Amino acid sequence: GAVVSQHPSRVICKSGTSVKIECRSLDFQATTMFWYRQFPKQSLMLMATSNEGSKATYEQGVEKDKFLINHASLTLSTLTVTSAHPEDSSFYICSAKVPGTNTEAFFGQGTRLTVV
Amino acid sequence: QQPVQSPQAVILREGEDAVINCSSSKALYSVHWYRQKHGEAPVFLMILLKGGEQMRHEKISASFNEKKQQSSLYLTASQLSYSGTYFCGTPPNPTDSWGKLQFGAGTQVVVTP
């Protein structure tokens, strides 16, 4: 199947700093990618839809100024957590679907963010 | 609307069977089943599109009822590798990409020797 790669897999940052997470589609072009957040022992919650060449679409309750999304190329979307606080500590996962196909979405391996 | 999953957790011995349910008060456009192991990305199992459909992935199968309001995942003759958290997901709107999913709360499955 298609491959979606996330980087870094783990990151620890100090409160008040910003952290960038990358999501790459390795063997296909993804005009759209999706960002999820997962707290311990909870479900995956969709945060936003990342659109190549245009603004991201955020789900209700997700602060767009806090979670900056940039989709500058057909294979890369980035999520920047700005002015991170301990409550932002979570597992962030991206996904993408091969365009024009009737196939499933592929998930990146996730990024464990810990804000201290 | 987030689909409702049950049970929250199930513990079974190797070789036993289990059923996980995913339901909604309105018809679902499609149901996507994933399994996630701790600290890892969800892994796709299968998609159900049509009412009455049944799908299979190795010894795991799933069904979608005629009204498309409930899907069940059947773990048959469970193996240790089946341990993990199972999620059902569904697109919020019929035109949404299958990458955009609303997931149920998850069912934690523990298979013991």
Side-chain angles (χ1 to χ4, degrees), chain A residues 43-81:
Chain A
S43 187
L44 297 97
M45 298 300 294
L46 179 67
M47 297 176 66
T49 301
S50 174
N51 304 299
E52 188 268 334
S54 65
K55 291 183 179 179
T57 306
Y58 291 83
E59 295 300 303
Q60 195 172 7
V62 178
E63 301 174 58
K64 62 179 181 180
D65 294 330
K66 175 117 181 118
F67 299 99
L68 299 179
I69 292 172
N70 185 277
H71 196 148
S73 80
L74 287 170
T75 58
L76 174 64
S77 173
T78 60
L79 169 69
T80 301
V81 183

Side-chain angles (χ1 to χ4, degrees), chain A residues 7-45:
Chain A
H7 178 82
S9 56
R10 288 178 180 272
V11 60
I12 301 173
C13 71
K14 290 186 177 180
S15 189
T17 63
S18 296
V19 174
K20 181 184 285 189
I21 302 169
E22 293 184 347
C23 178
R24 293 181 185 272
S25 56
L26 297 187
D27 51 0
F28 66 100
Q29 293 182 331
T31 53
T32 307
M33 291 184 176
F34 304 89
W35 287 96
Y36 294 82
R37 179 170 55 184
Q38 185 177 35
F39 291 109
K41 296 190 177 182
Q42 293 189 25
S43 187
L44 297 97
M45 298 300 294

Side-chain angles (χ1 to χ4, degrees), chain B residues 50-68:
Chain B
K50 303 174 185 176
E53 187 172 26
Q54 295 184 342
M55 297 293 288
R56 177 175 291 276
H57 171 83
E58 298 174 352
K59 287 188 176 179
I60 299 174
S61 60
S63 63
F64 203 8
N65 75 347
E66 289 291 342
K67 289 186 177 181
K68 298 180 69 175

Side-chain angles (χ1 to χ4, degrees), chain B residues 1-107:
Chain B
Q1 185 179 359
Q2 189 179 14
V4 177
Q5 267 185 258
S6 64
Q8 284 187 325
V10 59
I11 300 174
L12 54 157
R13 290 184 184 274
E14 205 173 358
E16 292 181 338
D17 302 339
V19 180
I20 300 170
N21 294 306
C22 176
S23 62
S24 173
S25 58
K26 63 175 187 176
L28 302 170
Y29 304 113
S30 56
V31 175
H32 305 232
W33 286 99
Y34 285 82
R35 177 173 61 209
Q36 184 183 32
K37 295 193 182 273
H38 182 68
E40 299 179 8
V43 173
F44 171 77
L45 294 175
M46 61 195 92
I47 297 174
L48 297 110
L49 300 175
K50 303 174 185 176
E53 187 172 26
Q54 295 184 342
M55 297 293 288
R56 177 175 291 276
H57 171 83
E58 298 174 352
K59 287 188 176 179
I60 299 174
S61 60
S63 63
F64 203 8
N65 75 347
E66 289 291 342
K67 289 186 177 181
K68 298 180 69 175
Q69 288 180 275
Q70 176 165 313
S71 177
S72 296
L73 189 73
Y74 306 93
L75 307 182
T76 305
S78 59
Q79 304 170 12
L80 295 176
S81 61
Y82 287 1
S83 292
T85 302
Y86 290 77
F87 292 99
C88 66
T90 185
N93 297 295
T95 55
D96 281 331
S97 163
W98 286 356
K100 184 176 180 178
L101 298 173
Q102 288 179 326
F103 286 95
T107 297

